[in-house]
Amino acid sequence: MKIKGDIYSVGVVDKDVRIFHGYATPIGTTYNSYLIIDEKITLVDLVKAPFAEELIANIKKIVPLEKIDNIICNHVEPDHSGAFPKIIPLCPNAKVYGTLACEKELHAYYPETKFEFQLVKQGDNLNTGKYNLNFCPMPMVHWPDSMSTYLVEEKLLFSNDAFGQHIGTGQHLEEEIELSILLDQAADYYANIVLPFGGQVERLLAQLANRPIQLICPSHGLIWSNSCGEIIARYQKWAAGEVNQAKVVIVYDTMWHTTEKMAALIAAEFRAKAMEVVSINLQIEHYSYAMTQLLDAKYVFVGSPTLNNQMLPSIAAFLCYMRGLRPKDRIGMAFGSYGWSGESITLVQEQLKAAGMELLESRKALWNI
Ligand code: FEO
């Protein structure tokens, strides 16, 4: 599909993926790859290994692979490089462009694949004829190798994972979907992938500040056109850690409904204080949805009954996942029911404290309320 000028989208849709390293993707995702036709032909990013043949077929509809001169590898995570061992032998004239970390990771993942590599740094330019591609490394957004590439003449940013969304519905362009849905999906993606790297995102946004941007082509989901300014503003807000001081997220699991009843009472209590409350039962919702809600919430209350002297495994998984994503400056509370020993409340509290949270006094219920 032509995006603009001589730039094509040649990526693939993975409508079936439901868990993306721990993150629930109920509507699948895409692995976007872009082809730039110019005097020198450039391929930007690849796709996950099982989709290599589909990528090859998409490229062949536009140009024979042996005519590709440049392959830009903005990120080595295998959802964007898995096709590398199949693509490289078909592009004998191609040079691969990436960061130092990119080169090391490509050799580590694909030791049998021989390729010519061109190391690029911040501000380096690749001229392909009528187009100029500027390289903008963005380390730890979200891997050491991560990079974005700016196409000067079209004011277009190939942003890789940044500004992505896991939407595998087959749509390509922002105009094909309601903006509120697209922004919600981008928030979901930020909360579950990018959240630990706010400082690095701020550095990326500072790099981009002096560049006019009319199109953002991420490596997952839809291309931003009319709302580039809006999604950049949201990234600024999320990276700065701005939250709603009056929003509470309650995350719980329950055995015989006492912890569930506690969650309902806590929700009613905080709603009576004019606070927005989102209550998430992990028997129904995936924990990554809880992270999405926590993106802009000041408070997180976590409830688990005690089972075999422990918290419930669903709550342990959520806490482990949340700690990894490192939300900052939140206020937490542990609650839960118990029959005789009641360790879960202390265990949850310890995890919230280890996540750096200020804690409200925990709440316990014996047997029933
Ligand atoms: Fe979409 Fe970090 O891979």
Side-chain angles (χ1 to χ4, degrees), residues 20-21 29-31 75-80 141-143 145-146 160-161 166 189 193 219-220:
F20 196 95
H21 49 58
T29 191
T30 62
Y31 312 115
H75 181 27
V76 184
E77 192 164 8
D79 51 330
H80 307 298
V141 182
H142 66 131
W143 273 26
D145 55 276
S146 296
N160 197 263
D161 278 337
H166 282 315
Y189 186 94
I193 302 272
S219 56
H220 297 288

Side-chain angles (χ1 to χ4, degrees), residues 11-160:
V12 301
V13 180
D14 185 353
K15 63 181 173 46
D16 297 324
V17 64
R18 289 292 175 269
I19 294 289
F20 196 95
H21 49 58
Y23 164 16
T25 51
I27 54 171
T29 191
T30 62
Y31 312 115
N32 298 342
S33 174
Y34 301 99
L35 187 66
I36 305 166
I37 304 297
D38 203 350
E39 287 168 33
K40 297 285 184 185
I41 294 172
T42 304
L43 183 62
V44 182
D45 294 327
L46 306 179
V47 301
K48 205 171 176 179
F51 298 89
E53 294 301 334
E54 193 176 336
L55 172 64
I56 291 165
N58 290 346
I59 296 168
K60 276 185 181 166
K61 286 178 199 159
I62 301 166
V63 69
L65 272 85
E66 59 267 26
K67 292 207 166 170
I68 293 174
D69 300 284
N70 311 309
I71 296 176
I72 296 175
C73 181
N74 282 317
H75 181 27
V76 184
E77 192 164 8
D79 51 330
H80 307 298
S81 73
F84 195 74
K86 281 205 172 154
I87 290 279
I88 289 296
L90 301 176
C91 308
N93 304 312
K95 198 185 271 191
V96 179
Y97 294 76
T99 61
L100 186 60
C102 168
E103 184 181 17
K104 287 182 184 163
E105 293 169 25
L106 283 173
H107 284 297
Y109 269 113
Y110 313 110
E112 308 298 324
T113 305
K114 305 292 172 225
F115 58 95
E116 187 183 353
F117 189 81
Q118 175 66 53
L119 172 66
V120 296
K121 301 185 297 302
Q122 174 66 38
D124 284 355
N125 186 68
L126 173 63
N127 178 269
T128 60
K130 64 179 183 281
Y131 289 140
N132 284 285
L133 292 155
N134 282 185
F135 298 107
C136 311
M138 47 179 195
M140 297 317 294
V141 182
H142 66 131
W143 273 26
D145 55 276
S146 296
M147 181 171 81
S148 56
T149 302
Y150 180 70
L151 200 167
V152 177
E153 288 73 15
E154 299 291 357
K155 303 178 176 61
L156 183 159
L157 183 71
F158 296 107
S159 63
N160 197 263

Side-chain angles (χ1 to χ4, degrees), residues 222-340:
L222 277 60
I223 294 168
W224 300 91
S225 49
N226 303 326
S227 305
C228 294
E230 175 68 30
I231 188 60
I232 288 171
R234 298 229 176 177
Y235 262 58
Q236 274 162 341
K237 191 176 110 177
W238 296 329
E242 282 180 35
V243 294
N244 179 351
Q245 300 289 329
K247 181 174 176 184
V248 177
V249 179
I250 301 175
V251 185
Y252 70 95
D253 197 346
T254 196
M255 286 171 66
W256 300 109
H257 301 292
T258 305
T259 301
E260 184 177 40
K261 285 191 257 180
M262 292 179 80
L265 283 174
I266 293 166
E269 178 187 326
F270 280 81
R271 283 194 184 110
K273 295 176 185 172
M275 298 184 81
E276 178 189 345
V277 178
V278 178
S279 211
I280 298 163
N281 178 346
L282 290 184
Q283 289 181 21
I284 299 166
E285 303 281 1
H286 192 269
Y287 55 68
S288 54
Y289 174 64
M291 276 315 302
T292 307
Q293 289 300 325
L294 185 50
L295 178 59
D296 67 348
K298 180 70 177 176
Y299 296 86
V300 56
F301 301 161
V302 181
S304 174
T306 297
L307 172 71
N308 299 329
N309 309 108
Q310 296 290 331
M311 65 181 98
L312 286 180
S314 58
I315 296 296
F318 165 68
L319 288 167
C320 170
Y321 188 71
M322 183 191 70
R323 281 189 62 189
L325 289 164
R326 302 200 289 274
K328 291 189 179 62
D329 300 324
R330 301 310 203 271
I331 296 175
M333 181 175 76
F335 67 95
S337 60
Y338 68 107
W340 51 100

